[in-house]
Amino acid sequence: MTLETKTAEAANGVKIPQLGFGVYKINKYAEFETAIVKAIRTGYRHFDTAKIYGNEEALGREIQKSGVPREQFFITSKVWNTDLGYKTGKKAFEQSLKKLNLDYLDMYLIHFEAPGYLEMWRAMEELYAEGKIKVIGVANFEIGHLEHLLSHAEIPPMINQIETHPEFAQNELHEYMLKHRILHEAWGPLGQGNKALLEHPVLQQIAGRHQKSVAQVTLRWHLQRGIIVIPKSSNPQRIRENSEIFDFELTGEDMERIAGLDTGKRYAISPTGYIIHPLYNKLLIGR
């Protein structure tokens, strides 16, 4: 089966399923296999991984085993900081492609703004022109980062994957990206399972009125803002629950009440001004 999911359209016309499935920190093979099999059977076709997650090969294996035609999937991976550059970036891309056992990637992102990212962008523009990537973009870029990239790019970034949840709505960056036709993709759309957020009385009240869970209401809030979401779970019940968000709609009042929860509070470290350290080869910065 496939989900009756909405899509967001990139500047080049490529349609991206608004609901995806994140695989960050799902590294035990048995757990990973169970989660991906359940997700595919539930109807998820948009999967988000990265080199630093260490599970590209496992994801590729499950895609091949599924029997679902390749063209039905939308697969994203990301290049890590230590591989940024023209030659090193192209090599990293080919390694990811090989691990995933794919001929092309639907989307490829620069994971963080770090030295060498402009050269990396040039490499990605060439890979895009060759048809090896359908959508090119970035992750964890702030307005200043995007301004700098736009001033050097031949092809503007089509998407920016950033921390976004009700307590950190990213309104200013969201409006900037709308203006520049850069899609907004949310990682940690459920606040990385933050208990206080998922038990917030406002969200619980709205969820109760719609006979939905707080997670479903939160994901629906993102969708109605035009945001792409990639919730992560290895729990079969939550995997299905997260997919059941297309049979109801939040009211304008609901949307306003949730907007009022924005405190500007990040749950992860700011991508601005972090120090690159060898340890970050093994540990994501708050991701």
Side-chain angles (χ1 to χ4, degrees), residues 2-13:
T2 54
L3 290 171
E4 293 295 325
T5 182
K6 294 183 178 180
T7 59
E9 188 171 308
N12 64 351

Side-chain angles (χ1 to χ4, degrees), residues 21-33 35-36 48-56 58-59 78 80 111 161 187-188 191-193 230-235 267-269 279-287:
F21 191 90
V23 300
Y24 173 56
K25 279 192 174 179
I26 309 179
N27 292 311
K28 294 179 181 178
Y29 179 68
E31 179 186 18
F32 189 93
E33 181 182 32
I36 301 303
D48 177 274
T49 186
K51 174 181 177 175
I52 199 71
Y53 298 173
N55 52 28
E56 289 174 315
L59 177 59
K78 312 177 197 74
W80 187 240
H111 212 142
Q161 186 186 112
W187 65 257
Q192 297 178 302
I230 46 171
K232 182 212 75 168
S233 180
S234 55
N235 180 301
Y267 294 164
I269 193 169
L279 285 177
Y280 294 163
N281 294 333
K282 296 182 180 180
L283 298 175
L284 282 176
I285 310 164
R287 279 289 271 110

Side-chain angles (χ1 to χ4, degrees), residues 21-135:
F21 191 90
V23 300
Y24 173 56
K25 279 192 174 179
I26 309 179
N27 292 311
K28 294 179 181 178
Y29 179 68
E31 179 186 18
F32 189 93
E33 181 182 32
T34 299
I36 301 303
V37 168
K38 175 64 177 176
I40 292 174
R41 287 178 179 172
T42 301
Y44 290 85
R45 295 294 181 265
H46 177 180
F47 289 88
D48 177 274
T49 186
K51 174 181 177 175
I52 199 71
Y53 298 173
N55 52 28
E56 289 174 315
E57 193 170 356
L59 177 59
R61 187 160 50 243
E62 296 309 318
I63 289 170
Q64 296 297 322
K65 284 166 54 180
S66 72
V68 175
R70 164 66 181 99
E71 61 271 16
Q72 290 188 19
F73 284 103
F74 191 95
I75 307 299
T76 300
S77 193
K78 312 177 197 74
V79 59
W80 187 240
N81 302 346
T82 50
D83 292 319
L84 294 181
Y86 180 78
K87 290 183 178 179
T88 55
K90 282 197 170 183
K91 183 178 179 181
F93 170 79
E94 293 297 340
Q95 288 173 341
S96 287
L97 206 59
K98 184 177 180 180
K99 286 182 178 179
L100 286 159
N101 196 19
L102 300 175
D103 296 323
Y104 68 92
L105 275 181
D106 297 280
M107 189 154 75
Y108 197 52
L109 308 178
I110 294 175
H111 212 142
F112 280 93
E113 185 272 346
Y117 85 90
L118 289 179
E119 293 82 357
M120 181 71 221
W121 190 255
R122 182 163 60 91
M124 288 167 61
E125 288 177 329
E126 291 182 7
L127 291 166
Y128 171 77
E130 293 167 10
K132 291 187 175 183
I133 310 171
K134 304 301 181 184
V135 174

Side-chain angles (χ1 to χ4, degrees), residues 6 115 121 137 142-143 159 163 186 240:
K6 294 183 178 180
W121 190 255
E142 304 286 277
I143 290 176
I159 194 166
E163 177 185 358
R240 175 167 290 281

